[in-house]
Amino acid sequence: SSKILGYSSINASVCPVHTGEFLQELFYDGKMYNDPILGGYLAWAIHRNVLLDTLSIRVPEIEEIAAIRKSPERFLEFARRLDITLAVIAHGIAQNKSLLEWFATQPSWQMIYCDHITVIFLKITAKSATLLEKYRCEDGKVSNLPIKSAPVYYLRALALLRLSFLESAQKDWQQGIVLLPNCFERYYIAGQLMILKGNLPQAIQDFEKALSYQPGNQEIISLLIQNS
């Protein structure tokens, strides 16, 4: 997309271009938490200060983020202290898995956006009520993906699984299959879906198929051991 950038040389498949566009549309002036890896681009794209970026982050902040990722409940105190009411999280970062799963259980935070790179949560407040009514995501009702490609669908399907949006995850997974049916991601996600649906025999078959695409994948080997 060149809507924000003014040129099209940045690859929106790997850069949070559409996240920036959504934040511009949201036009919310509350304080925002963001993964440091997103900070530099978002500061430039949406023309506002960001909490964290890889160029200016300091050691204490790095340590605090690491502690939050390890124990997500720490985010509540972090957000209270800094008056944070918006969170932009890169769901492809493995260390964020527990944080995403924690957000999915928090009644005071609602998901308002999800693409193949980020998930955005907004805190429920009187100030945010109108925005939540407009943008709140529900299972089966998630923002459209601006890029139609198999990797994009598969990436978001994994994020939605971690957020317990099973119907939406399955829709993205099925779209990915249409575009790229024979790949590791198809069977890895299928196995995860089958576990959540309680179909362990099928999950094992799917993980074995995934392993045939990536022999030696330690996560798949662990999943097979856990569910055998």
Side-chain angles (χ1 to χ4, degrees):
S1 171
S2 59
K3 181 178 178 182
I4 291 178
L5 305 177
Y7 56 87
S8 57
S9 61
I10 290 185
N11 186 350
S13 295
V14 296
C15 187
V17 173
H18 300 295
T19 302
E21 290 177 348
F22 175 78
L23 288 170
Q24 279 199 329
E25 177 186 327
L26 189 68
F27 202 66
Y28 179 72
D29 61 359
K31 289 188 178 179
M32 179 177 78
Y33 167 84
N34 60 275
D35 275 301
I37 197 171
L38 304 171
Y41 175 81
L42 292 179
W44 173 68
I46 65 177
H47 310 295
R48 62 173 281 181
N49 292 331
V50 297
L51 181 67
L52 305 161
D53 70 76
T54 52
L55 294 178
S56 63
I57 192 168
R58 298 168 297 178
V59 170
E61 292 167 337
I62 293 173
E63 292 175 345
E64 187 159 24
I65 291 170
I68 288 171
R69 286 171 170 171
K70 186 175 180 180
S71 302
E73 64 277 5
R74 291 173 178 257
F75 183 84
L76 289 175
E77 168 57 22
F78 180 76
R80 186 199 62 76
R81 175 162 40 90
L82 298 180
D83 194 27
I84 291 168
T85 52
L86 186 71
V88 184
I89 299 171
H91 58 67
I93 296 176
Q95 296 93 324
N96 280 338
K97 181 176 183 291
S98 295
L99 183 60
L100 284 174
E101 292 171 347
W102 176 84
F103 263 109
T105 67
Q106 298 305 299
S108 59
W109 289 81
Q110 291 289 319
M111 186 173 87
I112 59 171
Y113 178 83
C114 182
D115 65 19
H116 57 296
I117 297 175
T118 68
V119 181
I120 300 178
F121 297 94
L122 183 61
K123 187 176 182 181
I124 298 174
T125 65
K127 180 180 178 180
S128 68
T130 301
L131 293 174
L132 285 166
E133 183 176 349
K134 181 176 181 180
Y135 293 108
R136 178 187 280 114
C137 296
E138 299 172 356
D139 195 10
K141 181 188 172 187
V142 181
S143 49
N144 291 326
L145 279 171
I147 302 173
K148 312 300 182 186
S149 75
V152 164
Y153 281 117
Y154 285 136
L155 282 168
R156 189 170 76 165
L158 282 171
L160 292 169
L161 277 177
R162 289 170 182 162
L163 294 163
S164 299
F165 277 45
L166 301 191
E167 181 183 342
S168 295
Q170 185 155 331
K171 286 180 180 178
D172 278 2
W173 172 69
Q174 290 169 338
Q175 288 294 324
I177 292 172
V178 170
L179 297 169
L180 185 63
N182 299 314
C183 64
F184 168 83
E185 289 79 7
R186 172 186 179 164
Y187 295 100
Y188 172 67
I189 294 169
Q192 302 280 8
L193 281 166
M194 290 303 104
I195 286 176
L196 292 170
K197 292 180 177 182
N199 190 342
L200 292 184
Q202 184 59 52
I204 290 170
Q205 289 184 35
D206 290 324
F207 288 139
E208 288 174 342
K209 188 70 174 179
L211 198 62
S212 72
Y213 285 92
Q214 291 188 11
N217 184 299
Q218 291 302 307
E219 182 183 3
I220 299 299
I221 292 170
S222 295
L223 286 166
L224 284 168
I225 292 171
Q226 291 168 18
N227 294 286
S228 295

